[in-house]
Amino acid sequence: MPRNSAKFLRETLMPATLVTGDTLVAFGGLALGWWLRYASPLAPRAGSGLFIPVPGATFVGYLPLLLVGAMLLVAIFAQCGLYDTRLLLRRYQTLNALLKAALVWLVAYPGLALVLKMEPPISRLFVVLTFGCVVVLAGAWRAAVYSAVTRGGIVARLRRRTVVFGWSEDARALVDEIARDPTHPFALACVVTRPGTATPFRAADESAALTPPDSDTMRITPLAELDELGAVLEREAADLLIVIRPNLPRLDVERIVEICEHAYVEWKIVPGAFDIFLSGLRLHTIGRVPLLGVEELAINRFFNRGLKRAVDLAGALVGLVLSAPVVAALALLIKRESPDGPVFFRQTRVGTGHRPFTLWKLRSMVPDAAATDAARQSTARGDTRLLRIGAFMRRWNLDELPQFWNVLRGDMSLVGPRPERPQHVDRLSIEIPHYLPRHLVKPGMSGWAQVNGLRGDSSIAQRIQHDIYYIENWSLWLDMQIILLTFVRWKNAY
């Protein structure tokens, strides 16, 4: 399909289809909510104790409220990026954005009706029922659209044809990411490279041993001159050019931008100086000088810190109360199996800001286990030092119940990177790139790495990657997901 035709489909026809469908689904969800509240056999009746008379609560009387509610929901969907076809091709991200938008609507809709003084007065039960209906119907509609576009040839027209300029480890990671998903929003058209080293396009410090792209799995177009790039973009019907080498001479970068402008091709540059906290990158200007750097992370903003601490306090108090009988029963079993040692085990760990604190757990090993534990990063599977009750506790994370006290004290959070011992922190900070930024936040009882099975003898580097992902993508919603997953995912718990 010609590029202009694909662009029309991607940027006009498909968003218009989504808006139309969302509007109908939103109105249908609101109408279904009205029916459940006022006309269905399950609707509360007078004398039931739940019935609140609402004058004029007929369908015709409620019609203005239904129309306003549908328009508001579609507007919130647009604000959340649900009409960007790149999000359309990311199924779970779409459903996540849809749920967040519906939650915003749940709060905003009654408020807007109150401000506009709409009649009849809006029923809170109607709003709650409608919220459920809208989430189910909109989710089903979006899932149907995703299934339709990804099973047919239309997905190829929705993907943005991408040309990658340059080759490096960043380029390889980008190509691998695109190649592993046939419904990725970007489709790799070709990689533009230049042979040899004596060219203005090869970084002086680039490793000569860097493996070149595999010509069997992707198209490689070596350029003799930079001016040939325009012909490549036209031949490939490119929508996007990604420049991997930001250290090109200024004149070359200006020429690349000029070529893209003439070809009406979007361009982006990979900021190679940044390996972590990519979601925190922001562009600012001082005068006309652009500055690219990492802004304050969402997890460290004042309001978010207060919100997270409030959740931690509530969770710690509830956790201590509910776990007290379990801890007492486990304490008796520990003393019965191993009467010589204490019930509780304490150990120095490194917390936020590299400050040490005392971590508390139920003892799961023989009393002298600490004497042989200095060199161990994690407990090995089938460790002979484990008590029988200790193995059971570790399998279900019950040995960590006393850490609710650490959360209450403020040493830890319910969710965050798992804390390590000082000697391991000193070693890992040298061996693992970007290890220390995990101490920008409080350590957690559970974390993104743990619910993804990265504990025990699993890869430390992968744990760090997951910890960094959590820190730079934090949201209260992500915390709630991790807390829920903690109860159903126990991979490598031993």
Side-chain angles (χ1 to χ4, degrees):
M1 175 180 269
R3 190 175 71 184
N4 288 340
S5 178
K7 185 176 182 181
F8 174 77
L9 172 68
R10 188 171 57 239
E11 298 183 4
T12 302
L13 185 58
M14 184 55 66
T17 302
L18 292 174
V19 169
T20 302
D22 285 347
T23 302
L24 294 175
V25 166
F27 183 80
L30 284 152
L32 181 58
W34 174 87
W35 181 79
L36 290 173
R37 171 63 179 86
Y38 295 109
S40 74
L42 301 177
R45 304 299 179 189
S48 66
L50 297 174
F51 181 76
I52 303 175
V54 179
T58 62
F59 185 79
V60 173
Y62 246 62
L63 188 58
L65 280 169
L66 303 185
L67 294 173
V68 168
M71 290 187 292
L72 177 62
L73 184 62
V74 171
I76 295 174
F77 277 6
Q79 186 64 31
C80 291
L82 280 162
Y83 301 115
D84 186 333
T85 51
R86 286 174 293 185
L87 186 62
L88 171 64
L89 294 176
R90 317 311 290 162
R91 181 177 185 179
Y92 295 107
Q93 289 89 328
T94 295
L95 295 178
N96 192 35
L98 188 151
L99 183 56
K100 289 182 179 178
L103 288 169
V104 172
W105 178 89
L106 180 64
V107 176
Y109 181 40
L112 180 63
L114 182 63
V115 169
L116 297 178
K117 298 180 180 179
M118 299 189 71
E119 295 292 339
I122 195 168
S123 164
R124 286 172 291 181
L125 180 57
F126 158 74
V127 173
V128 173
L129 291 172
T130 297
F131 168 77
C133 294
V134 164
V135 168
V136 172
L137 293 178
W141 153 245
R142 286 300 185 120
V145 172
Y146 176 84
S147 178
V149 300
T150 55
R151 290 185 180 180
I154 192 173
V155 67
R157 308 174 207 172
L158 293 177
R159 302 177 73 191
R160 286 165 167 78
R161 289 184 58 80
T162 303
V163 172
V164 175
F165 185 95
W167 190 251
S168 67
E169 290 297 348
D170 287 332
R172 178 171 293 283
L174 180 65
V175 167
D176 289 344
E177 176 67 24
I178 294 173
R180 74 166 61 103
D181 185 359
T183 63
H184 196 282
F186 299 127
L188 181 66
C190 72
V191 174
V192 175
T193 63
R194 290 195 63 178
T197 58
T199 71
F201 308 111
R202 188 173 184 87
D205 60 348
E206 184 177 352
S207 172
L210 185 62
T211 304
D214 184 355
S215 59
D216 293 334
T217 58
M218 70 188 76
R219 296 180 60 185
I220 305 170
T221 303
L223 293 183
E225 298 293 338
L226 183 56
D227 287 341
E228 295 177 359
L229 179 60
V232 173
L233 296 178
E234 182 177 0
R235 184 193 73 205
E236 300 295 343
D239 300 297
L240 172 67
L241 175 73
I242 299 179
V243 180
I244 298 295
R245 294 169 174 165
N247 52 353
L248 291 172
R250 180 184 179 91
L251 291 178
D252 289 336
V253 175
E254 291 177 352
R255 180 61 182 143
I256 291 172
V257 173
E258 183 181 359
I259 291 172
C260 288
E261 289 175 347
H262 282 212
Y264 295 98
V265 171
E266 181 184 355
W267 59 274
K268 297 182 185 296
I269 294 179
V270 174
F274 300 94
D275 293 330
I276 61 172
F277 299 145
L278 300 182
S279 64
L281 287 181
R282 296 292 183 272
L283 181 67
H284 293 278
T285 58
I286 298 179
R288 291 182 56 82
V289 178
L291 302 176
L292 182 66
V294 178
E295 287 288 281
E296 183 182 21
L297 297 167
I299 195 171
N300 283 332
R301 293 173 188 159
F302 175 78
F303 176 79
N304 291 340
R305 282 190 284 118
L307 183 62
K308 188 171 174 62
R309 181 58 181 155
V311 172
D312 285 344
L313 286 173
L317 289 171
V318 172
L320 285 171
V321 171
L322 295 181
S323 66
V326 179
V327 171
L330 292 173
L332 292 175
L333 294 173
I334 292 170
K335 292 302 289 184
R336 180 180 177 180
E337 183 177 352
S338 178
D340 296 335
V343 168
F344 294 101
F345 171 78
R346 63 180 183 177
Q347 192 174 63
T348 299
R349 299 289 179 100
V350 177
T352 181
H354 219 87
R355 291 188 296 270
F357 71 96
T358 301
L359 176 138
W360 292 91
K361 301 175 74 171
L362 286 168
R363 182 169 63 89
S364 58
M365 292 188 171
V366 295
D368 61 347
T372 59
D373 201 36
R376 295 173 181 261
Q377 171 69 32
S378 301
T379 302
R381 187 184 297 272
D383 196 311
T384 57
R385 300 171 302 163
L386 277 172
L387 303 173
R388 290 191 301 276
I389 184 60
F392 171 79
M393 290 191 298
R394 284 175 175 255
R395 176 66 182 84
W396 303 101
N397 299 322
L398 298 177
D399 60 319
E400 298 180 356
L401 290 177
Q403 290 169 34
F404 282 119
W405 173 249
N406 287 116
V407 175
L408 188 64
R409 283 173 48 88
D411 300 324
M412 297 177 64
S413 175
L414 293 176
V415 179
R418 287 295 296 168
E420 295 287 355
R421 283 167 284 178
Q423 66 269 27
H424 294 315
V425 170
D426 294 340
R427 176 176 58 84
L428 293 173
S429 63
I430 298 174
E431 296 176 356
I432 305 294
H434 312 304
Y435 178 83
L436 289 178
R438 69 198 299 273
H439 297 113
L440 290 172
V441 301
K442 290 180 181 179
M445 292 182 65
S446 183
W448 185 236
Q450 283 66 45
V451 298
N452 282 281
L454 295 170
R455 48 181 149 187
D457 289 332
S458 58
S459 167
I460 300 297
Q462 289 186 26
R463 289 192 217 179
I464 305 308
Q465 291 174 3
H466 280 69
D467 289 340
I468 296 299
Y469 174 88
Y470 168 77
I471 293 172
E472 66 174 328
N473 293 281
W474 177 87
S475 68
L476 188 62
W477 177 250
L478 180 58
D479 271 4
M480 294 300 105
Q481 292 182 68
I482 292 173
I483 290 173
L484 293 175
L485 289 173
T486 301
F487 294 100
V488 297
R489 290 187 179 178
W490 299 290
K491 183 180 179 181
N492 291 329
Y494 49 83

